[in-house]
Amino acid sequence: MCESVDEVGRAVLARNDGLAAHLREELTGRGVSVVNLLSSPGSGKTELLGRVLARAVERGLPVAALTADLATENDARRLARSGAPVKQLLTDGLCHLEARQLRGHVESWLPEGTSLLFVENVGNLVCPASYDLGESLRIVLMAVTEGEDKPLKYPTAFGSAHLVVLTKSDLAEPAGFDAAAFEEHVRRVNPGVEVLRSCARTGDGVDTLLERVLAVRDGSPVHSPPLAPRPHSHTHAAGPVA
């Protein structure tokens, strides 16, 4: 009997979850925390990550970054300006990262002594949200120019976030962004999650974001989202939470 598309999808996610769990255990044993950054294209996550990496390097922190794209190494070149070790991961058309891909790069590239690995996922708020990478912290970013309703349109992404970061906050007023409505929509899909405002251009929020990440690396508990990426909660679609 042929398997249905849904059955195949569940099997793929189950295999990924198993790999992610092993990878998380292995990295934890090595003292490495992984931060998985998810957003749509154009959210400003590369620029913000570059600022965070530069600040970490200034402080002598052992950080590194993997950045994923379907094509080009543009983001890796931009992030490398921070002085942190950076590697580009090309997915050859795949719209998301999987645990097996991250494992391969961790085994072949991760610099010795790294305690904090940032993973800039493919620009997409759909498929990447369903794949656990073995991360310690999942951060979903959104620019104020994207509209207040994105948490309701992409509930799996926002509902699985340990932290939500609002980017390009300097454009909120000209964009007519309703921050109160946005935060209410976030609360509907992920009650209690922190929403951090940032602006890579001015540096606002950079230090706060780095401190949040370091706290998790050092053992602070993380928020428990309703669609937590571990141990087993992946779906490709979900309706808005009432």
Side-chain angles (χ1 to χ4, degrees):
M1 181 181 295
C2 294
E3 291 183 295
S4 69
V5 173
D6 285 344
E7 288 172 334
V8 171
R10 285 194 293 270
V12 169
L13 289 173
R15 284 194 296 271
N16 180 83
D17 284 349
L19 287 172
H22 286 300
L23 182 58
R24 180 180 294 109
E25 183 177 358
E26 175 188 324
L27 290 172
T28 299
R30 292 170 54 181
V32 181
S33 294
V34 175
V35 180
N36 185 9
L37 303 175
L38 282 72
S39 80
S40 58
S43 69
K45 72 176 178 296
T46 303
E47 188 65 25
L48 182 61
L49 176 56
R51 292 293 190 103
V52 170
L53 290 173
R55 195 63 52 86
V57 170
E58 289 173 6
R59 294 173 53 176
L61 300 171
V63 299
L66 278 169
T67 180
D69 269 310
L70 277 69
T72 83
E73 297 192 359
N74 294 344
D75 287 351
R77 286 192 289 268
R78 290 173 61 191
L79 293 176
R81 297 171 193 159
S82 67
V86 176
K87 185 173 179 60
Q88 183 75 52
L89 197 163
L90 297 178
T91 65
D92 295 324
L94 194 64
C95 65
H96 59 272
L97 285 181
E98 298 180 7
R100 62 179 176 80
Q101 295 167 301
L102 181 60
R103 173 180 284 282
H105 283 75
V106 164
E107 291 176 345
S108 65
W109 169 78
L110 189 66
E112 187 69 28
T114 299
S115 67
L116 192 57
L117 175 62
F118 288 90
V119 178
E120 183 181 20
N121 218 312
V122 180
N124 183 343
L125 281 175
V126 183
C127 295
S130 295
Y131 285 83
D132 184 1
L133 299 183
E135 65 259 33
S136 304
L137 186 67
R138 175 176 291 203
I139 301 177
V140 174
L141 304 92
M142 193 200 88
V144 298
T145 52
E146 296 181 63
E148 303 87 354
D149 62 345
K150 287 299 180 292
L152 302 182
K153 288 187 174 183
Y154 301 98
T156 302
F158 285 89
S160 65
H162 300 112
L163 175 66
V164 174
V165 175
L166 192 59
T167 64
K168 304 184 182 181
S169 60
D170 57 324
L171 299 178
E173 185 174 349
F177 182 74
D178 187 337
F182 170 74
E183 294 194 14
E184 172 58 26
H185 294 158
V186 171
R187 285 193 295 270
R188 287 178 63 186
V189 299
N190 195 342
V193 70
E194 180 183 7
V195 177
L196 175 64
R197 300 188 188 191
S198 70
C199 176
R201 186 178 65 83
T202 64
D204 289 348
V206 170
D207 287 316
T208 304
L209 177 55
L210 180 56
E211 290 304 325
R212 295 291 188 276
V213 171
L214 289 174
V216 172
R217 183 201 64 174
D218 295 339
S220 293
V222 297
H223 167 70
S224 297
L227 299 179
R230 59 185 191 269
H232 211 59
S233 60
H234 302 297
T235 56
H236 273 293
V241 176

